[in-house]
Amino acid sequence: MVFLWSAVKAVRFYGAGKPLKLEDTETPKISDTEVLVKVKAAGICHTDLHFLDGTLAPWKGSLPLTLGHEIAGEIDSVGSKVRRFRKGERVVVNNGVSCGKCKYCKMGRENICVDLDQLGFTLNGGYAEYVKVPERTLLRLPKEVTYEDGALLPCGVASSYHALMDIARLRKGETLLINGTGGLGTGAIQIAKIAGAKVIAVDVIDEKLGMAKRLGADEVVNSKSEDLGGAVKRITGGQGVDVALELVGTSAAMRNALGALGKTGRYVIVGYTKELLEASPLNLVILEAEIRGVVAYTMKDLQAVVRLVQRGKLKPVVARKFSLGEVSSALELLRQGSIAGRSIAVP
Ligand SMILES: [Zn+2]
Ligand SMILES: [Zn+2]
């Protein structure tokens, strides 16, 4: 029997409102500077729901597209000009493929590159047995870090690190409110505690708040059963919080976060919906408060969180494991809010 091409299973996105399909696809062919990675684990992220719902659309490239942008795996083969990596090495992938030349790349802010491609957004991603990636997106995964933990580090943990450390400039002794204790929230709590901040974790599901407490949150508030404004007042002695991290993005959640800000408060928005943010300019003026959007992470952030896990300071929360064929149902569970921590797909 002659095989004309070897098949690679991949979860394909055909456009908003259409179901994901698990299909046989052609094995990716690598160029001189690319690396073929055998996917060992891929984080299942809420962003994929934004694609399915049409909140976010691939801004270039063509459909169908293999989703999955949180990837750890083993190198299967390397292009002829790849120098830093070789077959068999364990790696984690930075899913941002930046140009390396624009003013933002030169500032070390390659996550907002003007010509950005992203694996799992505009290029085929990691819900697949194999994925091809440019060499410079790779970071070696130390032996102390499992593939499963590794897969959660890029988007799930490095994004929180970027938001809290780079953008919000969270400092020791400050108080942080975290809206939403899902995949990003569990990492954010641990990063904030490492930074020496006091953490108030907010959610509407008690099970998630229990986990937040175990991960080190100083205070947990169920905003469904308790008035958040009153709770923040009590916890901060009426001062308000220094930083609020938005991981939910509904109007109600955003109103709560803005209301919790104290003087010089920084409100950093990572999670979003289609709902609008309504802010009183007067309140912002009086507090000298800031509102900042935050997207993804830089290679430096990814390096930092890999080191934290290697040194045993941070432990990503792997909620559940799914096969590639189960990614759709895993995303539905995520939509219902019934997953504590981050799930992964294991090809
Ligand atoms: Zn993600
Ligand atoms: Zn660039």
Side-chain angles (χ1 to χ4, degrees):
M1 192 190 245
V2 178
F3 290 101
L4 291 176
W5 56 285
S6 55
V8 164
K9 292 219 176 309
V11 179
R12 309 283 275 168
F13 170 66
Y14 276 83
K18 296 182 185 154
L20 295 176
K21 285 190 195 163
L22 179 65
E23 292 179 341
D24 286 335
T25 61
E26 201 169 341
T27 303
K29 287 187 184 62
I30 54 171
S31 72
D32 289 352
T33 55
E34 287 178 321
V35 172
L36 187 66
V37 175
K38 182 172 175 33
V39 179
K40 295 284 191 175
I44 299 177
C45 179
H46 200 274
T47 301
D48 296 334
L49 287 173
H50 292 324
F51 283 121
L52 292 172
D53 296 347
T55 309
L56 183 69
W59 52 91
K60 50 178 164 169
S62 59
L63 296 179
L65 173 81
T66 303
L67 295 183
H69 55 271
E70 311 183 355
I71 309 162
E74 185 189 303
I75 294 180
D76 177 86
S77 53
V78 302
S80 60
K81 289 186 181 148
V82 171
R83 294 284 172 264
R84 293 186 300 119
F85 293 91
R86 63 170 74 95
K87 182 180 166 66
E89 283 189 300
R90 308 169 77 250
V91 288
V92 57
V93 180
N94 179 336
N95 84 300
V97 181
S98 52
C99 76
K101 294 176 213 145
C102 73
K103 77 171 179 182
Y104 303 102
C105 281
K106 283 183 179 153
M107 285 159 80
R109 298 185 66 177
E110 72 275 7
N111 58 314
I112 50 171
C113 169
V114 295
D115 195 21
L116 190 68
D117 262 308
Q118 278 184 276
L119 298 156
F121 286 65
T122 61
L123 301 170
N124 285 329
Y127 292 153
E129 292 170 307
Y130 291 88
V131 60
K132 70 167 183 178
V133 305
E135 175 186 18
R136 61 200 169 82
T137 63
L138 292 177
L139 205 59
R140 225 162 255 113
L141 207 55
K143 61 180 185 318
E144 296 88 347
V145 186
T146 64
Y147 285 120
E148 291 162 12
D149 286 354
L152 302 196
L153 294 181
C155 181
V157 181
S159 303
S160 292
Y161 187 92
H162 180 60
L164 293 178
M165 306 313 292
D166 298 344
I167 305 295
R169 311 173 306 280
L170 181 68
R171 288 182 290 264
K172 193 175 172 191
E174 288 194 317
T175 302
L176 164 72
L177 179 140
I178 300 176
N179 246 345
T181 57
L184 267 69
T186 53
I189 292 166
Q190 297 180 67
I191 290 161
K193 291 314 295 177
I194 294 167
K198 178 175 182 175
V199 175
I200 306 171
V202 183
D203 210 297
V204 293
I205 297 172
D206 284 329
E207 188 206 347
K208 288 186 177 176
L209 290 171
M211 175 178 291
K213 195 97 210 186
R214 288 193 294 281
L215 290 172
D218 300 278
E219 304 274 351
V220 295
V221 181
N222 185 325
S223 57
K224 217 176 197 176
S225 54
E226 194 177 351
D227 166 47
L228 183 64
V232 168
K233 217 172 198 173
R234 167 177 56 78
I235 295 165
T236 63
Q239 299 287 297
V241 302
D242 300 293
V243 175
L245 174 65
E246 185 58 69
L247 301 175
V248 177
T250 57
S251 294
M254 294 189 286
R255 201 161 39 240
N256 276 338
L258 277 173
L261 282 187
K263 296 202 169 175
T264 74
R266 288 91 75 199
Y267 180 31
V268 285
I269 301 177
V270 176
Y272 54 92
T273 64
K274 286 178 177 170
E275 295 177 28
L276 296 182
L277 169 70
E278 208 175 277
S280 150
L282 177 62
N283 282 348
L284 295 175
V285 166
I286 290 169
L287 298 172
E288 290 204 334
E290 290 172 39
I291 301 176
R292 295 282 301 267
V294 188
V295 66
Y297 54 92
T298 66
M299 205 55 161
K300 264 172 77 182
D301 297 316
L302 185 56
Q303 279 163 345
V305 296
V306 167
R307 265 198 302 275
L308 288 174
V309 178
Q310 183 185 16
R311 284 159 45 209
K313 303 221 173 222
L314 192 149
K315 173 76 184 143
V317 179
V318 179
R320 289 177 61 179
K321 294 180 204 175
F322 296 91
S323 67
L324 288 180
E326 294 169 327
V327 167
S328 282
S329 37
L331 284 167
E332 278 317 305
L333 289 173
L334 196 60
R335 186 196 298 284
Q336 293 155 20
S338 54
I339 290 183
R342 189 69 127 208
S343 291
I344 52 169
V346 181

